[in-house]
Amino acid sequence: MPVPDQPPFAEFLGIKLVSVTADRIEAELVVREELKNRSGVMHGGALMAFADSLGGTAAHANMRPGQRTTTLESKTNFFAGIPIGDIAHAETIPLHRGRSTIVVQTRITRNDGRLAAIVTQTQMVLKGDE
């Protein structure tokens, strides 16, 4: 499957798509200074934005031509901080592929393999003119 065009925000964050299929998205994000919080690790909002972008990509990979998507709901569980200079590794898989919604789960790990977060999202499937 060709890598879908990414929105400018994904480029701004620095998301690198490693592989894209309808069943699995793999991506990386270098955790740079601009993404840190007061504690000196990756900001939770940046981590959530990383997962949200990948959730949209996963939904897009499972839609028919003329459809588009928007995030309807997102839930994040944080387990460990990701240090500045590390790489956030993400794997996004669809859990449900329906006519009107697609539910995806993104696991984000650090370079050392430790689980940093799990994000579960519901993506609404829209017609092109909605």
Side-chain angles (χ1 to χ4, degrees):
M1 162 178 273
V3 176
D5 290 334
Q6 294 295 288
F9 185 66
E11 185 176 322
F12 170 76
L13 283 176
I15 296 172
K16 176 186 172 196
L17 295 177
V18 175
S19 68
V20 177
T21 69
D23 296 323
R24 186 171 179 228
I25 309 288
E26 288 182 69
E28 298 176 344
L29 176 63
V30 175
V31 182
R32 52 190 202 281
E33 283 289 320
E34 298 88 350
L35 301 179
K36 80 176 179 181
N37 66 13
R38 289 182 184 97
S39 299
V41 296
M42 185 176 186
H43 192 285
L47 190 144
M48 294 166 69
F50 180 33
D52 185 59
S53 185
L54 298 176
T57 299
H60 181 68
N62 282 280
M63 294 186 304
R64 293 186 302 275
Q67 292 180 321
R68 57 190 184 89
T69 186
T70 189
T71 304
L72 186 62
E73 180 270 340
S74 184
K75 179 191 182 304
T76 304
N77 288 99
F78 297 100
F79 301 105
I82 305 176
I84 303 308
D86 203 342
I87 298 174
H89 301 272
E91 176 187 59
T92 303
I93 59 168
L95 302 175
H96 165 77
R97 296 175 243 213
R99 286 182 294 125
S100 59
T101 61
I102 297 173
V103 179
V104 298
Q105 183 180 74
T106 301
R107 291 177 50 88
I108 300 175
T109 57
R110 308 180 326 179
N111 262 346
D112 65 4
R114 187 166 177 195
L115 181 63
I118 294 178
V119 181
T120 305
Q121 295 177 312
T122 303
Q123 295 282 330
M124 185 185 319
V125 177
L126 303 168
K127 296 176 193 168
D129 60 350
E130 290 182 310

